[in-house]
Amino acid sequence: QSRDVDGALARAADSARSALELDTHSIDARINLALAYGMMGKRATLSEAISRNYAGRGRRLISEALALDPNNARAHALLGAWHFEVLRRGGGMGAMAYGARLSSGVSEFRRGMALAPDDPLIPLQFAVALLQRDAVGNAAAAQHLLARSASLTAHDALEIAAQNNAHRLADALAAGPDAARHVVSEITF
């Protein structure tokens, strides 16, 4: 199963790179490639993630997407997730090396939700980031975000999957932080 996921991520990255070659101004291709790098970085050891510069490459792509469309809600949310993940994996060294900040992560997620208040993916991603950071201290905020995600209208299969994950994670969170941590570890974007 691990090789299947790694292969799928490699194909996703290749597809996003191909799309970017076809349309050098594509925001979606940049976001998708940054997301693939982020997921690859999560699966890699810390030394592999650093040597392959997943964080730096992802940040560059997100910055390019926001330069092309400063009001792209999902790009802001992805930047929020980037800050949280760099801090989660790299701690103080990640903050120093890449400029990751918790306050920036929170503000980017909030900006994404303000720009797209009807997008169920963004509050789910924010809840996951908060729970990965501190499942006990962020439980109430995460429950609120999960309820928001679950209450919105889904427009496609990705948003339906996000809402299913929001319900599943909310149920797990109600059972306790350990159950929530387990479900969070299974959620991929």
Side-chain angles (χ1 to χ4, degrees):
Q1 180 183 347
S2 180
R3 282 190 288 193
D4 291 345
V5 173
D6 292 338
L9 289 173
R11 287 189 302 279
D14 288 343
S15 293
R17 279 190 289 272
S18 294
L20 197 51
E21 288 174 11
L22 291 172
D23 179 1
T24 58
H25 292 45
S26 175
I27 295 163
D28 288 339
R30 283 177 172 79
I31 290 172
N32 290 336
L33 186 53
L35 184 57
Y37 286 153
M39 293 173 73
M40 290 171 166
K42 274 186 172 186
R43 295 181 55 76
T45 66
L46 187 56
S47 63
E48 288 172 338
I50 291 169
S51 71
R52 294 182 179 148
N53 194 26
Y54 288 132
R57 291 157 68 189
R59 176 64 190 255
R60 179 184 52 80
L61 288 160
I62 297 166
S63 295
E64 289 173 2
L66 287 169
L68 291 166
D69 181 3
N71 293 317
N72 187 294
R74 287 192 176 171
H76 281 286
L78 188 55
L79 182 54
W82 179 90
H83 281 279
F84 272 87
E85 184 62 15
V86 169
L87 290 170
R88 185 183 75 79
R89 290 291 305 271
M93 293 300 291
M96 285 179 26
Y98 296 104
R101 303 281 180 269
L102 180 60
S103 60
S104 297
V106 170
S107 66
E108 289 298 331
F109 270 121
R110 287 185 178 150
R111 176 122 190 243
M113 288 191 310
L115 289 167
D118 297 329
D119 187 332
L121 251 156
I122 297 172
L124 171 64
Q125 290 174 325
F126 194 7
V128 166
L130 288 172
L131 291 171
Q132 284 179 321
R133 179 130 183 105
D134 179 1
V136 175
N138 292 325
Q143 274 293 15
H144 174 75
L145 290 163
L146 295 168
R148 178 177 177 169
S149 175
S151 72
L152 297 170
T153 301
H155 297 99
D156 58 29
L158 182 61
E159 291 180 359
I160 291 168
Q163 288 185 312
N164 289 339
N165 280 328
H167 286 293
R168 197 171 71 132
L169 186 51
D171 290 345
L173 189 55
D178 288 336
R181 283 185 203 99
H182 178 73
V183 171
V184 160
S185 71
E186 295 175 348
I187 294 175
T188 57
F189 297 101

